[in-house]
Amino acid sequence: MGRLETADKQSVHIVENEIQASIDQIFSRLERLEILSSKEPPNKRQNAKLRVDQLKYDVQHLQTALRNFQHRRHAREQQERQREELLSRTFTTNDSDTTIPMDESLQFNSSLQKVHNGMDDLILDGHNILDGLRTQRLTLKGTQKKILDIANMLGLSNTVMRLIEKRAFQDKYFMIGGMLLTCVVMFLVVQYLT
């Protein structure tokens, strides 16, 4: 690894390949050593296995150090290439690569603002409609209570009041059925006339 740090650009690949070959050779020998350590007598087996595991751990650290060095070297080479490319590039005042497309960004931003404002308006309208429905509900509840109070004052019994409420419930179904029947008749008339 010390040779790798001091190697020049031409020989760094050769040194990396030598180190990788050595690490691969050590791994293969460690596998054989692990097999041999399992054949040791039981009282020495645990100690031998521990030593083999420690060697594997050390070799894995070497492998990681090699990969980190390669990664740093690739990043450094890429930065040098980019630096050279940037220094060798000639810029002119009318170079199209240096312009920033602002018009599209501004149009996109203004469209987003319009959509945002539209959504705010829709939410506000929905909130106002819900508030209106709440106030209508309270008004209708108050009106219903007043009608029931007047009916009680006139002396109508609870039975008569329940019949009136039942009738109103039944009338709702008749109204819905009538609307559906009217729609069907209108559909049939339009269908046969065309």
Side-chain angles (χ1 to χ4, degrees), residues 115-130:
V115 168
H116 182 70
N117 291 336
M119 289 302 293
D120 285 344
D121 291 342
L122 283 175
I123 290 171
L124 184 64
D125 290 344
H127 183 65
N128 290 336
I129 289 171
L130 286 175

Side-chain angles (χ1 to χ4, degrees), residues 94-116:
N94 293 330
D95 193 2
S96 63
D97 292 339
T98 59
T99 60
I100 301 172
M102 293 291 287
D103 292 337
E104 294 174 7
S105 299
L106 287 174
Q107 288 175 351
F108 183 71
N109 189 22
S110 63
S111 297
L112 282 178
Q113 288 294 331
K114 287 178 186 176
V115 168
H116 182 70

Side-chain angles (χ1 to χ4, degrees), residues 63-180:
Q63 180 75 38
T64 304
L66 178 64
R67 285 187 185 137
N68 287 340
F69 179 80
Q70 288 172 338
H71 178 69
R72 285 194 312 266
R73 182 178 53 81
H74 287 302
R76 194 170 43 246
E77 288 174 357
Q78 184 176 3
Q79 286 176 352
E80 288 175 6
R81 278 195 308 269
Q82 288 174 348
R83 188 179 309 119
E84 289 299 321
E85 183 180 304
L86 187 61
L87 291 175
S88 65
R89 184 175 182 178
T90 56
F91 291 98
T92 60
T93 56
N94 293 330
D95 193 2
S96 63
D97 292 339
T98 59
T99 60
I100 301 172
M102 293 291 287
D103 292 337
E104 294 174 7
S105 299
L106 287 174
Q107 288 175 351
F108 183 71
N109 189 22
S110 63
S111 297
L112 282 178
Q113 288 294 331
K114 287 178 186 176
V115 168
H116 182 70
N117 291 336
M119 289 302 293
D120 285 344
D121 291 342
L122 283 175
I123 290 171
L124 184 64
D125 290 344
H127 183 65
N128 290 336
I129 289 171
L130 286 175
D131 284 342
L133 289 174
R134 283 188 195 113
T135 55
Q136 286 179 5
R137 177 176 173 236
L138 292 175
T139 304
L140 288 175
K141 275 189 171 184
T143 305
Q144 182 183 15
K145 186 175 180 183
K146 286 180 185 177
I147 290 174
L148 290 175
D149 289 342
I150 291 172
N152 282 334
M153 283 181 15
L154 292 176
L156 295 175
S157 68
N158 287 336
T159 308
V160 173
M161 294 301 294
R162 276 192 236 121
L163 286 174
I164 292 172
E165 288 176 4
K166 187 177 179 183
R167 175 67 189 259
F169 187 71
Q170 290 172 351
D171 287 348
K172 185 187 341 178
Y173 284 119
F174 282 122
M175 181 187 68
I176 292 171
M179 287 191 297
L180 288 175

